[in-house]
Amino acid sequence: MTAAPSPALDTALAYHRAWTGHDFDRAMTYIADDIACEAPAGRLQGAQAFRGFMEPFTHILTDSHLIAAFGDETTALLMYDTKTLPVESAPGAECLTVKDGTITHIRIVFDQAPFIAAQNASNGS
Amino acid sequence: MTAAPSPALDTALAYHRAWTGHDFDRAMTYIADDIACEAPAGRLQGAQAFRGFMEPFTHILTDSHLIAAFGDETTALLMYDTKTLPVESAPGAECLTVKDGTITHIRIVFDQAPFIAAQNASNGS
């Protein structure tokens, strides 16, 4: 579900389609060099750190579904569900700040607990 | 930050203001009797189960801050940060479905990991 068109939402959705479509090189074309990303594990500064966090996730991503997406001139807000190799349903939400077609800030919310549980189960096996 | 007014967003924000303001009786006036809530720990069915999940969280809530909020006719999407007794920063996101001024479905995304870690630390002390 999407609200009225917004420049920030257009960019956020283009980025979202790229990474959920396993084209991370294309996804990175929407990311500012000096992006700041606030993720559950902490703050990431710069495009390289961001890619190091986000790209590995796309390697375990097997499916995704956009739940809702809204935006205005500078901000986009997305919620989506993902299916991953270790976790069957791993929904996430992102609040993205967009400037001149480039994403300068992302706040990501998701539940780390099932990934930690899957990792612990894997280590224990 | 809020987008153009929407009926769903009005209701979602009224509910949000009530629970973050520690008035859970008022918060429940916006919740449908047959609400379905998809939370990190699983699916909750009905207002009583929902209250049993959400109200205890307000008892540990010490501060909150709305990060972004958007909506259309039937759907609202919120991201917020909360400060709680066990966890300093616990952001969450909610996608709410609203029908006739009442919330019939909420999908909540937040990170359970720091709450589990705090609980484990508490149990170990």
Side-chain angles (χ1 to χ4, degrees):
Chain A
M1 189 173 308
T2 58
S6 93
L9 183 56
D10 289 347
T11 300
L13 289 177
Y15 161 72
H16 184 78
R17 280 190 294 265
W19 75 258
T20 58
H22 297 276
D23 187 348
F24 215 82
D25 285 338
R26 181 167 174 78
M28 287 303 295
T29 65
Y30 303 103
I31 300 297
D33 289 344
D34 62 348
I35 188 171
C37 176
E38 295 172 82
R43 186 181 173 91
L44 302 159
Q45 190 65 50
Q48 193 174 347
F50 175 76
R51 184 168 193 153
F53 159 68
M54 197 63 196
E55 189 173 20
F57 180 71
T58 66
H59 295 161
I60 59 167
L61 178 76
T62 57
D63 201 4
S64 70
H65 162 69
L66 193 61
I67 295 171
F70 292 95
D72 60 17
E73 192 67 22
T74 58
T75 302
L77 187 57
L78 273 59
M79 184 179 283
Y80 49 82
D81 201 3
T82 68
K83 185 174 179 179
T84 71
L85 292 176
V87 178
E88 176 72 17
S89 171
E94 296 179 11
C95 184
L96 308 98
T97 305
V98 178
K99 192 175 176 183
D100 301 328
T102 305
I103 299 164
T104 59
H105 184 272
I106 306 183
R107 177 127 199 182
I108 301 182
V109 177
F110 70 93
D111 185 13
Q112 296 186 102
F115 291 96
I116 294 169
Q119 185 66 48
N120 289 343
S122 169
N123 290 342
S125 65
Chain B
M1 187 174 307
T2 57
S6 92
L9 184 56
D10 289 347
T11 300
L13 289 176
Y15 161 71
H16 184 79
R17 280 191 295 267
W19 77 256
T20 57
H22 297 276
D23 188 348
F24 214 81
D25 285 338
R26 182 168 175 76
M28 287 303 294
T29 65
Y30 302 104
I31 300 295
D33 289 344
D34 62 348
I35 188 171
C37 175
E38 294 171 82
R43 185 180 173 91
L44 302 159
Q45 190 64 51
Q48 194 174 348
F50 174 76
R51 185 169 191 152
F53 158 70
M54 196 65 196
E55 189 172 21
F57 180 72
T58 66
H59 296 160
I60 59 167
L61 178 75
T62 58
D63 200 4
S64 69
H65 163 66
L66 192 61
I67 295 171
F70 293 94
D72 60 17
E73 191 68 22
T74 58
T75 303
L77 186 58
L78 273 60
M79 184 179 283
Y80 48 83
D81 202 3
T82 68
K83 185 175 179 178
T84 72
L85 293 176
V87 178
E88 176 72 16
S89 171
E94 295 179 11
C95 183
L96 308 97
T97 305
V98 179
K99 192 175 175 182
D100 301 329
T102 305
I103 299 164
T104 59
H105 184 272
I106 307 184
R107 177 128 199 181
I108 302 182
V109 177
F110 70 95
D111 186 13
Q112 296 184 103
F115 291 97
I116 294 169
Q119 185 66 47
N120 289 344
S122 171
N123 290 343
S125 67

